Structure formats: C-alpha cells, structure tokens
Amino acid sequence: METEGGITVRRALELPGLRGGLPEVLTCADRLDRTVRWVHAGEAPNIPALLEGGELLLTTGLGIGSRPAEQRAFVRRLADRGIAALVVELGPRFGRLPSAIVEAARAAGLPLVQLHREVPFVAVTEEIHTEIVNGHYALLRRAEEVHRRCTQAVLGGGGVPQVLGILADFAGNPVFLETPDGRLLFAAGPGTGPAGAGPLQVWEGLRGARAARAAPPAGAVLVEVPGGGPGTGSVRARLVLLAVSGSLLTVHRMAAERAAGILAVVLMQARQEEELAARGRGDFLTDLAEGRIAPGDAPAQAGVLGFRPGGDPLLPVVMRLAPESAPSGSWALLARAVAEELAGVGAPVLVGVRPVEGRVPLLLALRPGTTRTALADRVAAALRAGADRAGLERPGDRTPSAVVVGDAGGWEAAGAGLRHAAEAATAAHGLGDRPWWDARRLDIDLLLWRLRDQPDLASFVERSVGPLLAHDRTARPALLPTLEAYLAHAGRKAEAARELHLNRQTLYNRLARIGELLGTDLDDPQSVLALSLALRARRHAG
C-alpha cells in the first residue's frame, strides 16, 4: 500500500524488532494503515510538545503519569499532535495498561499497542527508519522513471501533450496545464494522451468553476511551472492533477514536480521559437517599410512566411505600445493572441513584432465585401485584446497604445503605407484613447512630430499658449480644458459647454478670460487655427 513516503503502523508491527515484543493492539485496530513518518522514543511528561505528527511513539510509560486524569490528558495531547500510534512496553511501570489510557486512546481514535516483552528501542527505531528511507527511495525511483519517460518523449519530438499524457497515465487521473490566472492550455486523461472529451468535461465540472481561486479542489495536486516573465520567482503556468479515478499520493506530486521542470523547458523553447518567428516577420515588414525589399520581391518573401493574400488589396496597420508598457510581457504571446483574435476574420494576416521600437506591424488582405473600416475595427480590437493577454498593456497605463490604419493598396504601396502608419503611430502618442486612428487624419500631428527638435516649434507654442499655461499653474479654475473643448468642437460653444458641464454664461466668461490672457480673438479663424496647432505641437515640443 502507498504510504506517502513512510510505512504503515501495521507494517511496523510486522518487522522483527516490534514483533519480538509480542505486540497486542488494544484500540483502533482498523486504523493500523496510518502512515508512520518517523519513530520517536521517550519518557518525558512533555513529550507531546516535541512531536509534529505522524510519529510512532515508543515508551515504557514513565512520563504518562500515575493518576487517571493525567493519563487521559497525556493521551489526548498525543492524539492532538496527530501521531500515528502509541506503543507502550510493559514492565516496571505498567504490568498492564490502565483502563484510563485505553479508554482515552479509544475515544481519541489513536491506535494503542502494548508490548509484552522488552525490546531494544534503539534497534526498533533503526529498523523502522531504514524501512521508511527505503520507501522514500522507492518513491524517488518511481518519480524518476516518469521523469525519464517525459525526457525521452521531448527528445523524440514530443511536446506538452505527450508529457501530460505520461503523467496522467502514471497518476491514473486527468492532468491539466493552465495559465497562472486559471485558463486551460492543455489537458490529458489516463489512456487518452492529448486532450479528449473526458478530460475537458472533468475540467469544466471540477476545475473550471474554481479556476480563479488560489486553492485547487480537495485532493488535487497543483505544481507551479516556473519561468514566466522577467522575475526570478514568476510562474509561467500551473500543472493541476485532479483526484477523479483515485487518490493522488506523494509519488504523484513528486512526479508532477519533475514533469514541471521539463514543461518549463518545453514552454521556454516554444516561446523563444515563437518570438523569433514573430521578430522575423517584424523584420520583414520593417524592411518593406524602409524600402530594403523591392515590391516585386515582397510577395515571394511573404509567401515563405505564410502570408498569401492573392490579388486582394493590402491594409497596413501599426500598433505602438505605451512606452511604460513595452518592456514587460511576452511578445510571442502577443503575436499569437492577435492571430487567434483575427482567426475569425477570414482574411490572411501577417503579424510581426518590433520590441525595441515597441511596435506591432501588420499586413492584412482586404477581402471583397469587407470594408476598410470594418476590418480596422476588428484588427484594433484584436491588437488591444492580444496586448492585454500578453501583459503588454494594462488599464492603468498613463498613455494608451495607439493603433493606426493606413491606406489599402497593392504591394507597390504596402511599404509606404507601413512606414506612414508607423510614423503616425508615434506622432499619435498622447492624443487620446481611440480604438484606432486613420493615418491620413494624423498628417498634421506627424508634421509637428517631425519638427519636435526645432527650437522654433517650442517658441511657437510658448507665444501661442504660454500665458494660459502659466495661469493654470497658479490659478483656479484651470482654463486649458475649456480651450481644448472649444477647439475640439470647432468653436461651437453650446457643444463645448455640454462637454464641460458648464452653463453658457460661465463658458463665455472663461473664453473671454482666455482671449484676454492670450491677447487674441477666439472668433477669428486664423487665431483658432494657430491655437489648435499650438496645442497639438505642445505634445512634441521640448
């Protein structure tokens, strides 16, 4: 019988050392299959405080006490510590065990054994400990055999499903690999290999509803697969064994811990290969954008990468991640997540990553019957969902990512379209949170961004809105939001008032104060144009 790394009380009584003492089981004979984790011999009255649970206690009874109340309390304390059994050697202290000890042991559910012959406790301890150690080695050998089989499977070209299948067969129970937040990645059941209907149904019934909880279901084994993210203590995935067909034992946990090490290597290798492929696609799209690949050569090279749009127009899209988000997360997971999100679009897509620039360039085929706007909506949503899944974008980021969509065209226009979208995505930094931007509507921002290092641009901003900015640094209410709302609504004061939740007279008073501070007429089209440009340039000017 499996004893979780020890031996049973029954087995200990069968060994020569204790068998020579003519053991007699007085209580709880039905509990002799308890595991003996260790053996302790002692006579001190405070010995219960020295125990940790699972011990077989050997004693002649000198520390048990002479009064029934003391004896009952001593036995209760041993039971509370969770020892496996109490073995008392009869002799000078007890010719037979008092009824108080026997009754207390029976009430506490503690196996109580008396020895009718004297035995050397040292020899008994050594004998049982040797048996326990041999049992541990046997468990280690079984777990190492699973590790060897998993290693051979991986070296033979297998991956995560094969490793999980070996572990499931060994445990006789379904095995799952899930993300740290509880999403199922792979499943296997005993005798089924890769995931089939059985393991998935088990997942939904026993694990799926509890996936978000920190603790696994009762009787389950959960082992962390290390290596996710930049931190040394981070978790890439979790290995979950559920007790469905039988109990999960120590040897199963040991095997799972060894399998987790192999899975960490497999996942790391897969991620590295996936990220290299995604970076390779990003390099191709960047080379195309920067003119290093001729339009005539591009279709063949794209075909090698799996992108074959046929004769459909190509839609260039670039996502620029927020600067504070770009260093973390998984770029390989981002590329995979975006591809999965776009799988339902039914259009060929080529997704690349450029981690250094914090960009994700894409080319999509614009199929007949699909509008540019509809496809842009889908790809923008997929990009943001993928960034969120990969940990590259978070709701608390100060500046959200920008998705910019260029003009659709053939291979001759694809490079210029990607370049325009990439530059416009940089220029769109800080503009606001929109699902996506049309590259054509960012041309003014792009021009101002290209002039960002020119001293004249900073001087222009200071001349145009400097007094207003100085006012807002020292006085309240701030007036810049009023000017921004007024310009955003093209001078329509009623709409600006509604956005700012102001009555019209308050808005008029604030606009008058702004005109006074800036020395300009806010009803003059040229002045309004200059102020609009100055506020847009302010994001780029040093």
Side-chain angles (χ1 to χ4, degrees):
M1 173 176 290
E2 169 65 57
T3 57
E4 300 288 278
I7 65 171
T8 64
V9 175
R10 188 185 314 278
R11 173 59 181 160
L13 295 177
E14 293 171 349
L15 293 174
L18 286 179
R19 192 173 68 238
L22 301 179
E24 179 187 359
V25 179
L26 299 179
T27 64
C28 302
D30 58 336
R31 299 190 180 187
L32 298 184
D33 287 329
R34 282 183 168 186
T35 298
V36 177
R37 184 183 59 83
W38 208 239
V39 181
H40 193 90
E43 306 295 343
N46 68 334
I47 197 169
L50 306 177
L51 305 178
E52 297 180 355
E55 294 92 351
L56 181 75
L57 177 60
L58 303 174
T59 181
T60 63
L62 293 176
I64 293 180
S66 57
R67 292 181 297 176
E70 295 174 338
Q71 294 168 352
R72 284 192 289 267
F74 183 86
V75 172
R76 281 197 300 269
R77 289 200 302 272
L78 290 178
D80 290 342
R81 300 301 288 187
I83 71 168
L86 173 61
V87 178
V88 182
E89 182 183 82
L90 301 179
R93 179 66 181 87
F94 293 120
R96 64 184 179 87
L97 289 183
S99 59
I101 296 176
V102 177
E103 291 168 0
R106 183 177 293 113
L110 177 65
L112 175 63
V113 180
Q114 64 181 7
L115 301 178
H116 291 277
R117 286 181 181 174
E118 181 180 349
V119 297
F121 282 179
V122 171
V124 170
T125 300
E126 181 180 2
E127 186 178 51
I128 295 178
H129 285 176
T130 299
E131 190 84 0
I132 291 173
V133 170
N134 289 340
H136 277 292
Y137 279 128
L139 291 181
L140 285 172
R141 285 195 298 270
R142 293 175 63 192
E144 286 300 327
E145 173 61 19
V146 174
H147 181 269
R148 184 190 64 79
R149 291 175 56 202
C150 290
T151 302
Q152 285 183 336
V154 171
L155 293 177
V160 174
Q162 287 71 28
V163 172
L164 296 188
I166 292 171
L167 187 57
D169 287 341
F170 177 70
N173 280 291
V175 177
F176 307 91
L177 189 69
E178 64 178 31
T179 63
D181 60 358
R183 288 185 294 107
L184 180 62
L185 296 173
F186 295 93
T192 65
L200 295 181
Q201 290 173 354
V202 169
W203 170 267
E204 290 299 327
L206 293 182
R207 180 62 177 159
R210 303 174 175 86
R213 300 182 184 178
V221 169
L222 187 149
V223 177
E224 293 180 345
V225 179
T232 56
S234 55
V235 178
R236 185 186 302 278
R238 292 189 300 201
L239 192 58
V240 181
L241 285 70
L242 297 182
V244 176
S245 303
S247 299
L248 291 168
L249 309 172
T250 298
V251 68
H252 300 139
R253 172 175 287 279
M254 295 167 67
E257 289 171 348
R258 283 154 179 76
I262 295 176
L263 289 171
V265 175
V266 172
L267 293 176
M268 184 180 299
Q269 182 182 20
R271 174 179 289 183
Q272 290 173 342
E273 292 174 353
E274 191 171 10
E275 182 158 333
L276 284 174
R279 288 181 183 232
R281 295 190 296 269
D283 291 344
F284 165 77
L285 293 171
T286 300
D287 288 343
L288 181 64
E290 295 179 359
R292 290 190 289 269
I293 297 177
D297 298 331
Q301 295 189 33
V304 173
L305 298 173
F307 181 60
R308 299 176 179 85
D312 293 327
L314 304 176
L315 185 67
V317 180
V318 173
M319 179 185 200
R320 183 181 185 274
L321 294 167
E324 59 267 28
S325 298
S328 63
S330 167
W331 289 87
L333 180 56
L334 170 62
R336 185 199 322 150
V338 171
E340 291 172 354
E341 296 283 345
L342 291 174
V345 175
V349 57
L350 184 64
V351 184
V353 298
R354 297 285 292 179
V356 174
E357 296 93 346
R359 289 204 307 263
V360 183
L362 301 89
L363 274 181
L364 299 100
L366 187 59
R367 293 299 199 195
T370 302
T371 66
R372 175 177 178 268
T373 299
L375 187 57
D377 288 341
R378 290 292 299 272
V379 73
L383 282 166
R384 295 193 185 282
D388 179 65
R389 285 170 57 184
L392 286 159
E393 185 173 53
R394 295 173 294 276
D397 288 340
R398 291 183 287 105
T399 53
S401 302
V403 177
V404 175
V405 180
D407 289 329
W411 281 107
E412 296 78 9
L418 282 168
R419 182 170 61 255
H420 185 200
E423 292 179 339
T426 303
H429 173 67
L431 267 180
D433 189 10
R434 281 192 184 183
W436 59 277
W437 297 86
D438 190 326
R440 294 169 298 191
R441 298 188 61 183
L442 294 172
D443 281 343
I444 292 176
D445 296 278
L446 179 54
L447 176 62
L448 294 171
W449 175 75
R450 287 173 175 166
L451 296 173
R452 65 191 181 282
D453 295 327
Q454 297 294 325
D456 290 343
L457 187 65
S459 299
F460 167 65
V461 172
E462 178 60 29
R463 287 196 308 273
S464 300
V465 295
L468 180 63
L469 300 177
H471 169 274
D472 284 1
R473 285 193 290 268
T474 59
R476 290 291 179 271
L479 298 175
L480 180 60
T482 300
L483 179 59
E484 289 174 332
Y486 177 75
L487 296 176
H489 290 285
R492 295 186 291 273
K493 297 176 182 177
E495 295 179 13
R498 278 196 296 272
E499 179 182 323
L500 295 168
H501 304 290
L502 299 175
N503 61 54
R504 290 195 180 187
Q505 189 57 51
T506 300
L507 177 69
Y508 296 159
N509 291 339
R510 291 189 181 183
L511 291 175
R513 177 59 176 153
I514 291 170
E516 179 184 340
L517 283 169
L518 300 180
T520 190
D521 181 3
L522 295 183
D523 292 322
D524 176 49
Q526 294 298 322
S527 298
V528 169
L529 175 60
L531 290 173
S532 298
L533 289 174
L535 290 182
R536 295 170 84 165
R538 178 170 168 259
R539 295 182 301 109
H540 309 301

